[in-house]
Amino acid sequence: MSVSPALLTSARSAYRTLLRASSATFAGDPEVAQAFRTKIRSEILTYPPPEDAKVFEGKISLVQEIADVLRKNIVQAVKLDDGTEDGSAARFKIRFTEHTELGSNDSVKRPPQEESSRSARKRQQTCCSAVAAEGTKESDAAPRVPRYYSQLKKASKQRVVPELKEEDLEESFVRGSGPGGQSINKTENNVQLLHKPTGFRVSCQETRSLLQNRKLARRVLLDKLDAMYNPGLSKQELKRALQIERERRRKKKAKQKAASE
């Protein structure tokens, strides 16, 4: 699958946004700015672009998120001295820009202790494993994922779909970025969701409608939870298995046709 010209235009726009953000953040330090841009070009927005359009879209979205974090959450610090002989700490000069997001002094001095995403997922998986072990009477082994699509389809229908509760979500809206004009770049239509129990984060800016983006973000988050709670049986896994089954049938028909000729 080739990359469309619209995706290439979106990639160029995202890269220009990232260049402007890095120029503002790393002003006065050209070596760091150049190293940062080289890393982006060599590891994320590589040329030629990948043939898979979905992979390319993911990289464009990642570049847009990096530019947003770089502009709002990264500051430049220059060390002034190493401190004095009486035990005082070293001094730094910190440069803020007009886009830097600042919290209150209390939040800076006493930041809340938040559980990391890795530890939250590990705790959630441990709890799920304990519940599954208690409910298993005949065998403690994990259930095997069906090999064939027909069996996988039946097992997928019997799976327990996780429930997405609004009280478990932390939702925020930020300004969109990329192509689309003022309806994208001048409005806060980028929806960001955090699922507190698992630490999963999703960001959605697929449409110009904030309401539609909120629905799509919840759908993506629900798919992630489904994949975690039902490994091998989730909706995305079923779609992937269907594609494999169709490809298998196509090859089988082609082989039979070639044998009959």
Side-chain angles (χ1 to χ4, degrees):
M1 187 190 322
S2 60
V3 177
S4 64
L7 271 181
L8 293 176
T9 302
S10 179
R12 287 193 291 268
S13 175
Y15 184 65
R16 285 194 296 268
T17 302
L18 185 63
L19 285 182
R20 288 192 291 269
S22 62
S23 299
T25 303
F26 303 124
D29 200 344
E31 295 181 357
V32 175
Q34 184 60 35
F36 174 78
R37 296 169 187 171
T38 303
K39 188 174 182 65
I40 293 295
R41 287 197 298 266
S42 61
E43 297 185 8
I44 301 180
L45 278 185
T46 57
Y47 188 84
E51 295 182 356
D52 193 341
K54 292 292 184 181
V55 174
F56 196 42
E57 287 179 359
K59 291 188 174 184
I60 293 174
S61 177
L62 177 60
V63 169
Q64 293 172 348
E65 292 178 4
I66 292 175
D68 192 55
V69 171
L70 194 65
R71 186 184 298 109
K72 297 179 180 179
N73 305 114
I74 305 297
V75 295
Q76 189 181 42
V78 178
K79 191 173 185 179
L80 299 178
D81 55 49
D82 295 327
T84 58
E85 298 180 356
D86 57 359
S88 60
R91 296 189 305 158
F92 291 85
K93 180 180 179 181
I94 300 178
R95 188 178 68 85
F96 296 99
T97 65
E98 57 180 350
H99 302 289
T100 304
E101 293 183 348
L102 298 177
S104 63
N105 289 334
D106 293 336
S107 63
V108 173
K109 295 177 181 178
R110 293 181 293 275
Q113 297 295 330
E114 296 184 357
E115 189 176 17
S116 63
S117 300
R118 175 180 293 182
S119 60
R121 287 195 296 269
K122 186 176 180 181
R123 175 176 55 79
Q124 189 69 20
Q125 291 173 358
T126 304
C127 295
C128 294
S129 301
V131 172
E134 292 177 358
T136 304
K137 296 182 179 179
E138 297 180 357
S139 174
D140 293 335
R144 296 179 58 185
V145 178
R147 179 179 179 183
Y148 299 103
Y149 173 72
S150 57
Q151 299 174 350
L152 180 63
K153 186 177 180 181
K154 293 179 181 179
S156 179
K157 289 181 178 180
Q158 297 175 358
R159 78 187 192 280
V160 179
V161 180
E163 182 182 0
L164 196 61
K165 300 179 180 179
E166 288 295 327
E167 57 266 22
D168 293 338
L169 301 179
E170 182 177 317
E171 188 175 29
S172 60
F173 309 102
V174 298
R175 284 189 178 182
S177 58
Q182 292 186 357
S183 60
I184 295 293
N185 300 315
K186 298 295 184 181
T187 58
E188 295 183 351
N189 60 349
N190 189 327
V191 181
Q192 297 185 351
L193 284 181
L194 168 64
H195 189 245
K196 299 176 183 178
T198 60
F200 285 156
R201 291 180 180 271
V202 297
S203 176
C204 181
Q205 188 193 327
E206 296 294 330
T207 69
R208 298 182 180 184
S209 170
L210 178 61
L211 181 61
Q212 191 68 17
N213 286 338
R214 294 183 67 190
K215 293 180 180 179
L216 293 176
R218 282 161 172 78
R219 186 180 303 170
V220 173
L221 182 57
L222 187 59
D223 288 342
K224 284 191 173 186
L225 294 176
D226 190 15
M228 185 185 74
Y229 286 106
N230 303 294
L233 301 175
S234 63
K235 184 178 179 181
Q236 297 300 324
E237 291 290 341
L238 187 63
K239 288 182 179 180
R240 190 177 298 110
L242 178 59
Q243 293 177 355
I244 296 175
E245 177 67 14
R246 287 175 176 173
E247 184 66 18
R248 186 189 67 81
R249 292 179 181 177
R250 185 188 66 80
K251 290 182 179 180
K252 183 178 179 181
K253 288 183 179 178
K255 188 175 180 180
Q256 292 176 350
K257 184 177 180 181
S260 63
E261 293 178 353

